[in-house]
Amino acid sequence: TKTLIVCVLAASLVYGWLKVFVRELLLRKFILAHRRHDMQRMGAFNWFCLFVTYPVLPTLASVIFNTAATWRMLFHALRNTGLKYVTAPKEFRAVNSEERALRH
């Protein structure tokens, strides 16, 4: 059963790895083909680096964008006791004192 679990995990990793590269190839070939002159060319060395480092990249991205962001917000919540809610202004014209008095 250990061998089966390891094989299933390895197969899922290889499947995810291949899926990313097939998706990238199809994206560049069909969807972004008309923008080929606008895009930076990805040479063989860049593809090789992406292929070799891909197993590390999803884990690194998860640590940075999920774990680190969660801990940062937790530290922020522990340090700040007051709650502030900042919103964008609803309108840009100045309100004179007469209009303010009428509203209240």
Side-chain angles (χ1 to χ4, degrees), residues 65-79:
F65 294 110
N66 295 331
T67 309
T70 302
W71 279 101
R72 199 271 181 229
M73 288 299 112
L74 177 64
F75 290 141
H76 177 78
L78 292 174
R79 263 195 339 257

Side-chain angles (χ1 to χ4, degrees), residues 31-46:
I31 297 173
L32 298 175
H34 68 284
R35 295 186 187 178
R36 190 163 293 185
H37 62 280
D38 294 336
M39 295 185 336
Q40 185 178 9
R41 188 175 178 277
M42 196 162 163
F45 180 72
N46 289 347

